[in-house]
Amino acid sequence: MNLHQETPGARVLVIEDEADIRHFVRLALESDGHEVTEAATLERGLIEAGVRRPDLVVLDLGLPDGDGVDFIRTFRSWSSSPVLVLSARSAEHDKVRALDSGADDYLIKPFGSAELLARTRAHLRRRHRHAGGDEALLSFGNIAIDRARRRVSRDGELVHLTPIEYALLLKLTSHPDRVITHRQLLQELWGPVHTESVHYVRVHMGNLRKKIEADSSRPRWLLTETGVGYRFSPEGASRQGA
């Protein structure tokens, strides 16, 4: 799998009621070769999404005729295209609510064009890879995952993971650059009765990092989104995690 594959220009729908921000986002996306459609309201956004069938949606939560989360829930009923939220709401519960509703990422205002474009490219790469089907072999850095044999190796040596650790690694690496919330991980790996047991995820993530990362205290691949969940970065990073 080529994790650094570039993607061609995409159809992007920008739903934002502030004209200046909408114009800024449009110019940035068009400079990267994308075809941009704009909407200033929730209702218009849903109409454009149905007509244009965008490859990616850039969405503000505070719209004049409704909450952007309502758009996400409706959009998710018929589309799997990534949704990148742009919002001035910085509280953790706002991020978790949007991500749990089906958003793929959350960027807090104010933001720069470089970060916007980097996140856009990351989500479009992921969509492009999924369109081609999942591959049995995945590698990043010195780690290799053989999904067919359910084996993980580091520098060619077999890494012994528990079933939960393997499931956690597979979930994150199957959605590169996408924030997966604690609640989503708990729901899928432990079931609905454990959706508030965040410490379960933290303990197993700590153990997984010790086996995967060169320095588990400064993870490069399995990154923490503080108070929200985790994200797999295929390009790698150097960030303090917990």
Side-chain angles (χ1 to χ4, degrees):
M1 173 181 282
N2 181 5
L3 290 171
H4 301 279
Q5 181 177 5
E6 292 302 322
T7 55
R11 297 185 305 274
V12 182
L13 172 60
V14 178
I15 307 174
E16 165 65 64
D17 65 319
E18 294 187 44
D20 288 345
I21 296 178
R22 202 166 61 242
H23 182 66
F24 169 79
V25 172
R26 180 184 193 116
L27 289 180
L29 291 169
E30 288 181 340
S31 74
D32 225 25
H34 303 303
E35 175 189 328
V36 180
T37 301
E38 299 180 20
T41 65
L42 174 62
E43 181 181 6
R44 191 67 214 173
L46 286 170
I47 292 171
E48 294 292 348
V51 172
R52 305 287 180 177
R53 299 285 168 166
D55 299 305
L56 180 139
V57 175
V58 178
L59 173 70
D60 180 30
L61 292 183
L63 298 170
D65 58 339
D67 194 317
V69 169
D70 294 327
F71 171 90
I72 297 169
R73 289 171 178 156
T74 302
F75 186 64
R76 276 289 166 261
S77 68
W78 54 268
S79 177
S80 60
S81 293
V83 175
L84 170 58
V85 169
L86 305 179
S87 180
R89 303 175 188 174
S90 58
E92 288 179 6
H93 67 85
D94 287 316
K95 298 178 190 177
V96 171
R97 181 168 172 255
L99 293 164
D100 275 342
S101 296
D104 295 86
D105 207 349
Y106 198 106
L107 187 57
I108 297 173
K109 300 176 182 177
F111 54 88
S113 59
E115 183 173 11
L116 170 67
L117 292 178
R119 295 199 186 203
T120 296
R121 286 191 292 265
H123 289 295
L124 289 172
R125 280 196 300 270
R126 177 171 64 84
R127 176 173 171 77
H128 183 72
R129 286 195 299 270
H130 284 189
D134 291 330
E135 298 178 29
L137 298 175
L138 167 67
S139 62
F140 54 93
N142 61 345
I143 303 297
I145 303 173
D146 184 338
R147 291 186 175 119
R149 298 182 179 182
R150 296 180 63 85
R151 291 182 179 178
V152 178
S153 59
R154 178 177 175 178
D155 291 322
E157 297 292 327
L158 191 64
V159 177
H160 296 283
L161 299 181
T162 67
I164 285 291
E165 290 167 359
Y166 180 78
L168 185 57
L169 179 63
L170 205 62
K171 176 67 176 177
L172 291 168
T173 55
S174 294
H175 300 85
D177 291 304
R178 177 176 178 178
V179 180
I180 309 295
T181 67
H182 296 125
R183 189 178 189 85
Q184 289 168 334
L185 291 170
L186 286 163
Q187 175 80 28
E188 184 159 329
L189 273 62
W190 282 274
V193 298
H194 292 292
T195 53
E196 303 302 322
S197 307
V198 175
H199 63 283
Y200 281 25
V201 183
R202 288 177 177 157
V203 169
H204 288 284
M205 176 59 76
N207 292 334
L208 176 60
R209 280 174 169 163
K210 290 175 184 177
K211 298 175 181 181
I212 296 298
E213 301 281 359
D215 181 353
S216 60
S217 66
R218 295 184 61 82
R220 182 181 179 189
W221 311 106
L222 308 177
L223 306 181
T224 296
E225 296 291 336
T226 304
V228 178
Y230 299 96
R231 175 171 60 89
F232 166 60
S233 174
E235 280 78 17
S238 179
R239 180 190 298 183
Q240 186 71 29

